[in-house]
Amino acid sequence: AYCGMYDKACGLYDEIINDGLEPDSMMYGCLMKFSVECGRTDLSQAMFDKAPCLEIQNYMSLIRAAGLDGDLDRAFWVLQKLRESDVVPDIAAYNCVLDVCVSVGDMVRVRTLMAEMRTVNALDVITYNTLLKGYCNTGDFKAAKNVLKEMVDDELKPNDVSYNCLVNCAVTAGHLSEAWDIIAQMEIAGVAIDHFTLSIMMKALKKVKNYKDLDMIFALVDRTKLNVCSDEVLLNTLLETCVRYQQSPRLEAIIGQVKTCSLRPSVHTYGSLIKAYSSLKRIDGCWELWSEMVEYRAMVPNEITIGCMLDALVCNGQVEQAVALLQQWKDTVRPNIVMYSTIIKGFANTRQASRAMDVWEEMKARGVKMNTVVYNALIDAQARVGSMDTVSRCMEAMEADGCVPDMITYSTIVKGYCVKGDMNRALEVFRCMQKNKMAINSIIYNTLLDGCTRHRMDLAEELLEDMAKNNIAPSNFTLGILVKMYGRNRLLRKAFEVVELYPKKYGFALNPQVRTSLMCACINNGALDRAYDIFGDLQRVSGADATAYGVLISGTVRHGNVAKAVELVEDAYGLVNGKRGLPQGQSLSNEHMESLLRALNNQSLSETLGVPLLDKLRGAKIVINSRLISSTVKT
């Protein structure tokens, strides 16, 4: 029992009886407790019937056994037996029965029992917390709030369990503002915000898109000064939130804490950390974590962790490494449909349509049950190269496997026709989707708008009007497409108009990709100053990544201001003030650096600007490509 092997402890009872021994009261009490722990509620009842003398803990063990079986009547029967015995029921025994009432959802008997408890004993915090849990389980937020008032009226101080239970109830009911009010009460009452509070609020963000709530939650995290590595649930929810909302600087800080703390991550946490490194484009960090898990600690990854690693590799352009990893582990961890879908997505990204079909054939050979998601990935691989005949074959197989095409399926088919330049067929499929009530969000409109930027810009405004008419809210992806389209057509003013209007009107915040696209549009339209303004906003809001720096460096060079481009490189690596602008693990591309150094050479500035820049890079231990050195010293 000390080692948690309660079932084996209970198994000794048969040996004891077979050896002709009779357990004493203490042994019966222990067996009752252990039988409840391992779920053998029948044995606990048998021990209860045989025990010559029972203590109150024995009665409570049997009450808990009744709770495990969901047998409320039996719990009350045990309570009655306790009343009839020489043992006086205390508040803990009553609370035990109260918990059974709550577990079966009988709030009427909860109140009846509490009325009886008042006549026997004073109610305590555990009593009220159990009542609170009951109302939270039934979703009665109003009644749950009133429990807190009852506690105060009874001169009891709500504790962290009370407040966290109520916060969770508010979040579950979708009352996020109420949750914030409860947290405010919690702080005023001097009850510490703990990792449970933060985890609950992090999970609440899955249901909201308001960046104000995001800022408030992160402010709460900062205010509490909790060590996020002290609780893996909090760490995982925090990592997940930062990845979802692209909070790169904060993600960097958390990863830094993990590196310096004594945490020994679980397999699940390794998956979350791999996703975090992948989000930061630090694939080297993903490999380090993977090696630490499977080589240094000899842990066996589960399906989720392998899926995270495969996704990290695919999203960072290492598709062949992802294929090799799947092959390496497929005999240890059976590949599931998510893993195969990720590999197919990688082949789609790299326009290897035939290899995507090969994966599908392997899935069929291994008897993997298909679903709509994998067919959508497969169709996407074909649509990206305009292989519409193979798309038709996939649709036939999809029907044969009983997989129902969804909005993404048809959106991908529309994309295939857009790639081929057949906008008429694309619109035909789109109108069919509208007729079948499937054009219900911005995904399909984004696909068509993207096609319009290449082939039929005249349709773009018509599609935007159609979105407004059908109450389809645009997304950041929509904005990115429009910014590129308006930028290409010298309509910079319109690009700024939609960027200003859409987030306010539809309640979302600009993501880094849209800001970077707007920078490109400014540069291509000769508005370099405005591009720098946007870059400054990007640095303040979410931090600028290597792509944003590269775009601005390239644009600055094209506009002839090479000295300013050198300053950008210095800012990216923190060569002047030691404050690195780039996220850790990211670096400027050789292409952008070569372009800058060639421009310096062409303007006879290699000696005054180029060589000192390279010296600073070496001093900061930045890896320098040999071609960069040759392009600088060349005269």
Side-chain angles (χ1 to χ4, degrees), residues 407 433 437-445 470-473:
M407 181 182 62
M433 289 179 69
K437 311 288 187 196
M438 297 184 75
I440 57 173
N441 64 25
S442 62
I443 295 174
I444 180 61
Y445 285 95
N470 290 290
N471 296 316
I472 305 295

Side-chain angles (χ1 to χ4, degrees), residues 315-351:
C315 291
N316 286 276
Q318 294 192 10
V319 178
E320 296 306 324
Q321 290 90 329
V323 174
L325 188 75
L326 184 62
Q327 290 296 326
Q328 179 186 350
W329 286 92
K330 69 194 317 181
D331 293 332
T332 306
V333 181
R334 182 178 176 83
N336 60 23
I337 199 162
V338 175
M339 299 180 202
Y340 280 121
S341 296
T342 302
I343 298 297
I344 291 173
K345 182 177 76 171
F347 288 140
N349 293 343
T350 52
R351 302 173 71 81

Side-chain angles (χ1 to χ4, degrees), residues 216-236:
M216 288 173 68
I217 288 174
F218 282 136
L220 186 64
V221 172
D222 295 337
R223 199 160 64 243
T224 58
K225 293 183 170 57
L226 280 174
N227 178 7
V228 298
C229 299
S230 64
D231 180 78
E232 282 198 79
V233 174
L234 174 59
L235 176 61
N236 283 307

Side-chain angles (χ1 to χ4, degrees), residues 294-314:
V294 302
E295 294 173 15
Y296 179 72
R297 295 184 62 193
M299 298 171 77
V300 178
N302 59 20
E303 293 178 342
I304 295 173
T305 311
I306 291 179
C308 290
M309 188 62 188
L310 291 176
D311 188 67
L313 294 170
V314 165

Side-chain angles (χ1 to χ4, degrees), residues 98-99 102 107 110-111 114 118 123 125-138 143-144 146-148 150-151 165:
L98 200 67
D99 192 59
V102 164
M107 297 307 293
V110 165
R111 283 298 189 180
M114 282 186 67
R118 285 183 185 279
L123 306 185
V125 173
I126 295 174
T127 310
Y128 278 109
N129 283 347
T130 306
L131 177 63
L132 192 59
K133 183 174 75 171
Y135 284 125
C136 290
N137 289 347
T138 58
N146 288 334
V147 172
L148 232 60
E150 286 184 53
M151 289 179 76
C165 189

Side-chain angles (χ1 to χ4, degrees), residues 49 101 194 210 257 297 348 361 475 544 549 587:
D49 294 336
C101 294
D194 60 15
N210 191 336
Q257 289 181 51
R297 295 184 62 193
E361 294 291 350
S475 63
Y549 270 104
S587 57

